[in-house]
Coordinates of all heavy atoms in Angstrom, one line a residue:
E89 N 160.4 178.6 91.3 CA 161.0 179.6 92.3 C 161.5 180.8 91.6 O 161.4 182.0 92.1 CB 162.0 178.9 93.1 CG 162.4 179.6 94.4 CD 163.4 180.7 94.2 OE1 164.2 180.6 93.2 OE2 163.6 181.6 95.1
G90 N 162.2 180.6 90.4 CA 162.6 181.7 89.7 C 161.5 182.7 89.2 O 161.7 183.9 89.2
F91 N 160.4 182.1 88.8 CA 159.2 182.9 88.4 C 158.7 183.7 89.5 O 158.4 184.8 89.4 CB 158.2 182.0 87.8 CG 158.3 181.7 86.4 CD1 158.8 180.5 85.9 CD2 157.9 182.6 85.4 CE1 158.9 180.2 84.5 CE2 158.0 182.4 84.1 CZ 158.5 181.2 83.6
Y92 N 158.7 183.0 90.7 CA 158.2 183.7 91.9 C 159.0 184.9 92.3 O 158.5 186.0 92.6 CB 158.1 182.7 93.1 CG 158.0 183.4 94.4 CD1 156.8 183.9 94.9 CD2 159.1 183.5 95.3 CE1 156.7 184.5 96.1 CE2 159.0 184.1 96.5 CZ 157.8 184.6 96.9 OH 157.7 185.2 98.1
T93 N 160.3 184.7 92.3 CA 161.2 185.8 92.7 C 161.3 186.9 91.7 O 161.3 188.1 92.0 CB 162.7 185.2 92.9 OG1 162.6 184.1 93.8 CG2 163.6 186.3 93.5
T94 N 161.2 186.5 90.4 CA 161.1 187.5 89.4 C 159.9 188.4 89.5 O 159.9 189.6 89.4 CB 161.1 186.9 88.0 OG1 162.3 186.1 87.8 CG2 161.1 188.0 86.9
S95 N 158.8 187.8 89.8 CA 157.5 188.5 90.1 C 157.7 189.4 91.3 O 157.2 190.6 91.3 CB 156.4 187.6 90.3 OG 156.2 186.8 89.1
A96 N 158.4 188.9 92.3 CA 158.5 189.8 93.5 C 159.4 191.0 93.2 O 159.0 192.1 93.7 CB 159.2 188.9 94.6
V97 N 160.4 190.9 92.4 CA 161.2 192.0 92.1 C 160.5 193.0 91.1 O 160.6 194.2 91.3 CB 162.6 191.5 91.4 CG1 163.4 192.7 91.0 CG2 163.3 190.7 92.4
K98 N 159.8 192.4 90.1 CA 159.1 193.3 89.1 C 158.0 194.1 89.8 O 157.7 195.2 89.5 CB 158.5 192.4 88.1 CG 159.5 191.7 87.2 CD 160.3 192.7 86.3 CE 161.3 192.0 85.4 NZ 162.1 192.9 84.6
D99 N 157.3 193.5 90.8 CA 156.2 194.1 91.5 C 156.6 194.8 92.8 O 155.8 195.1 93.6 CB 155.1 193.1 91.8 CG 154.5 192.5 90.6 OD1 154.6 193.1 89.5 OD2 154.0 191.4 90.6
L100 N 157.9 195.1 92.9 CA 158.4 195.7 94.1 C 157.8 197.1 94.4 O 157.5 197.4 95.6 CB 159.9 195.9 94.0 CG 160.7 196.5 95.2 CD1 160.5 195.5 96.4 CD2 162.2 196.6 94.9
Q101 N 157.4 197.8 93.4 CA 156.9 199.1 93.6 C 155.4 199.1 93.8 O 154.7 200.1 94.0 CB 157.2 200.1 92.4 CG 158.7 200.2 92.2 CD 159.5 200.7 93.4 OE1 158.9 201.6 94.1 NE2 160.7 200.3 93.6
N102 N 154.8 197.9 93.6 CA 153.3 197.8 93.8 C 152.9 197.3 95.1 O 153.7 197.5 96.1 CB 152.8 196.9 92.7 CG 153.0 197.6 91.3 OD1 153.1 198.8 91.1 ND2 153.3 196.7 90.3
E103 N 151.9 196.5 95.2 CA 151.4 196.0 96.5 C 151.9 194.6 96.8 O 151.3 193.9 97.6 CB 149.9 196.0 96.5 CG 149.3 197.4 96.4 CD 149.7 198.3 97.5 OE1 149.8 197.8 98.6 OE2 149.9 199.5 97.3
F104 N 152.9 194.1 96.1 CA 153.4 192.7 96.3 C 154.2 192.7 97.6 O 155.0 193.5 97.9 CB 154.3 192.3 95.1 CG 154.7 190.9 95.2 CD1 153.9 189.9 94.5 CD2 155.8 190.5 95.8 CE1 154.3 188.6 94.6 CE2 156.2 189.2 95.8 CZ 155.4 188.2 95.2
K105 N 153.9 191.7 98.4 CA 154.6 191.5 99.7 C 155.3 190.2 99.7 O 154.7 189.1 99.4 CB 153.5 191.6 100.8 CG 152.8 192.9 101.0 CD 153.7 194.0 101.5 CE 153.0 195.3 101.7 NZ 153.8 196.4 102.2
T106 N 156.6 190.2 100.1 CA 157.3 188.9 100.3 C 157.1 188.5 101.7 O 157.0 189.3 102.6 CB 158.8 189.1 100.0 OG1 159.3 190.1 100.9 CG2 159.0 189.6 98.6
S107 N 157.0 187.2 101.8 CA 156.7 186.6 103.1 C 158.0 186.0 103.7 O 159.0 185.7 103.0 CB 155.6 185.5 103.1 OG 156.0 184.4 102.3
V108 N 158.0 185.8 105.0 CA 159.2 185.1 105.7 C 159.3 183.7 105.2 O 160.4 183.2 105.0 CB 159.0 185.2 107.2 CG1 160.2 184.4 107.9 CG2 159.0 186.6 107.7
C109 N 158.2 183.0 104.9 CA 158.1 181.7 104.4 C 158.8 181.6 103.1 O 159.6 180.7 102.8 CB 156.7 181.1 104.4 SG 156.6 179.4 103.8
G110 N 158.5 182.5 102.2 CA 159.2 182.6 100.9 C 160.6 182.7 100.9 O 161.4 182.0 100.2
R111 N 161.2 183.6 101.8 CA 162.6 183.7 102.0 C 163.2 182.5 102.6 O 164.3 182.1 102.2 CB 162.9 184.9 102.8 CG 162.4 186.2 102.2 CD 163.0 187.5 102.9 NE 162.7 187.5 104.3 CZ 161.7 188.0 104.9 NH1 160.7 188.5 104.0 NH2 161.5 188.0 106.1
C112 N 162.5 181.8 103.5 CA 163.1 180.6 104.1 C 163.2 179.5 103.1 O 164.1 178.7 103.0 CB 162.2 180.2 105.3 SG 162.4 181.2 106.7
I113 N 162.1 179.4 102.2 CA 162.2 178.4 101.1 C 163.3 178.6 100.2 O 164.0 177.7 99.8 CB 160.8 178.4 100.4 CG1 159.7 177.8 101.3 CG2 160.9 177.5 99.1 CD1 158.3 177.9 100.7
T114 N 163.6 179.8 99.8 CA 164.7 180.2 98.9 C 166.0 179.8 99.6 O 166.9 179.3 99.0 CB 164.6 181.6 98.6 OG1 163.4 182.0 97.9 CG2 165.8 182.0 97.6
G115 N 166.1 180.1 100.9 CA 167.3 179.7 101.6 C 167.5 178.2 101.7 O 168.7 177.7 101.6
M116 N 166.4 177.5 101.9 CA 166.5 176.1 101.9 C 167.0 175.5 100.6 O 167.8 174.6 100.5 CB 165.1 175.5 102.2 CG 165.1 173.9 102.3 SD 163.5 173.3 102.4 CE 162.9 173.7 100.7
F117 N 166.5 176.1 99.5 CA 166.9 175.7 98.1 C 168.4 176.0 97.9 O 169.1 175.2 97.2 CB 166.1 176.4 97.0 CG 164.8 175.8 96.9 CD1 163.6 176.5 96.6 CD2 164.6 174.4 96.9 CE1 162.4 176.0 96.4 CE2 163.3 173.8 96.7 CZ 162.2 174.6 96.5
V118 N 168.9 177.1 98.5 CA 170.3 177.4 98.4 C 171.2 176.3 99.0 O 172.1 175.8 98.5 CB 170.6 178.8 99.0 CG1 172.2 179.0 99.1 CG2 170.0 179.9 98.2
F119 N 170.8 175.9 100.2 CA 171.5 174.8 101.0 C 171.4 173.5 100.2 O 172.4 172.8 100.0 CB 170.9 174.7 102.4 CG 171.5 173.6 103.2 CD1 172.8 173.7 103.7 CD2 170.8 172.4 103.4 CE1 173.4 172.6 104.4 CE2 171.4 171.3 104.1 CZ 172.6 171.5 104.6
L120 N 170.2 173.1 99.8 CA 170.0 171.8 99.1 C 170.8 171.8 97.8 O 171.4 170.8 97.4 CB 168.5 171.6 98.9 CG 168.1 170.3 98.2 CD1 168.7 169.1 99.1 CD2 166.6 170.1 98.1
T121 N 170.8 172.9 97.0 CA 171.5 172.9 95.8 C 173.0 172.8 96.0 O 173.7 172.2 95.2 CB 171.1 174.2 95.0 OG1 169.7 174.3 94.8 CG2 171.8 174.2 93.6
Y122 N 173.5 173.4 97.1 CA 174.9 173.3 97.4 C 175.3 171.9 97.7 O 176.3 171.4 97.2 CB 175.2 174.2 98.6 CG 176.6 174.2 99.1 CD1 177.6 174.9 98.4 CD2 177.0 173.4 100.2 CE1 178.9 174.8 98.8 CE2 178.3 173.4 100.6 CZ 179.3 174.1 99.9 OH 180.6 174.0 100.3
I123 N 174.5 171.2 98.4 CA 174.7 169.8 98.7 C 174.7 168.9 97.5 O 175.6 168.1 97.2 CB 173.7 169.2 99.8 CG1 173.9 170.0 101.1 CG2 174.0 167.7 100.0 CD1 175.3 169.9 101.8
L124 N 173.7 169.1 96.6 CA 173.6 168.4 95.4 C 174.7 168.7 94.4 O 175.2 167.8 93.7 CB 172.3 168.7 94.7 CG 171.0 168.2 95.4 CD1 169.7 168.7 94.7 CD2 171.0 166.7 95.4
G125 N 175.2 170.0 94.5 CA 176.4 170.3 93.6 C 177.6 169.5 94.1 O 178.4 169.1 93.2

Side-chain angles (χ1 to χ4, degrees):
E89 195 275 342
F91 273 102
Y92 163 77
T93 308
T94 302
S95 299
V97 175
K98 293 294 183 181
D99 297 335
L100 182 60
Q101 303 300 327
N102 298 327
E103 297 299 325
F104 188 89
K105 297 288 185 179
T106 60
S107 63
V108 176
C109 181
R111 298 195 301 275
C112 290
I113 291 176
T114 302
M116 181 193 68
F117 282 142
V118 171
F119 175 76
L120 183 58
T121 304
Y122 178 77
I123 298 299
L124 292 175

